[in-house]
């Protein structure tokens, strides 16, 4: 759980880079992390087969970001 950490968009970019190679992490909680721009995160979700649940409550995602996640899964 990384909830309530101010990782923001820059931190999410770094997490996204790791998710491309993830084979063990199945749950990722990023609630209230000051995220607004998903950037590479949705690409990482498309490629990642191990991750089955992601929580993003309380962030600043817009409609386009939400639609990108829907397309990624």
């Amino acid at each position: 759980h990384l909830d309530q950490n101010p990782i923001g968009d820059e931190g999410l970019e770094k997490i996204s880079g790791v998710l491309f190679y993830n084979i063990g992490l199945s749950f990722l909680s990023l609630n209230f992390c000051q995220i607004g721009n998903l950037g590479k995160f949705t690409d990482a979700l498309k490629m990642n087969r191990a991750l089955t649940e992601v929580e993003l409550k309380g962030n600043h995602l817009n409609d386009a970001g939400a639609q990108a996640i829907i397309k990624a899964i």
Side-chain angles (χ1 to χ4, degrees):
H1 294 256
L2 296 172
D3 296 345
Q4 299 182 358
N5 282 293
I7 63 170
D9 298 341
E10 184 178 329
L12 185 62
E13 281 288 314
K14 293 178 182 180
I15 291 169
S16 299
V18 173
L19 289 178
F20 280 104
Y21 305 101
N22 170 54
I23 58 170
L25 183 68
S26 62
F27 175 77
L28 180 60
S29 184
L30 297 167
N31 297 317
F32 302 95
C33 288
Q34 302 175 5
I35 296 167
N37 182 2
L38 296 175
K40 293 181 185 177
F41 186 69
T42 54
D43 293 334
L45 288 179
K46 289 177 189 174
M47 301 299 295
N48 190 301
R49 299 291 176 225
L51 196 60
T52 58
E53 187 174 352
V54 176
E55 292 186 356
L56 292 165
K57 291 180 253 173
N59 288 292
H60 311 288
L61 305 179
N62 58 24
D63 290 343
Q67 288 178 354
I69 287 184
I70 291 169
K71 288 179 183 178
I73 57 173

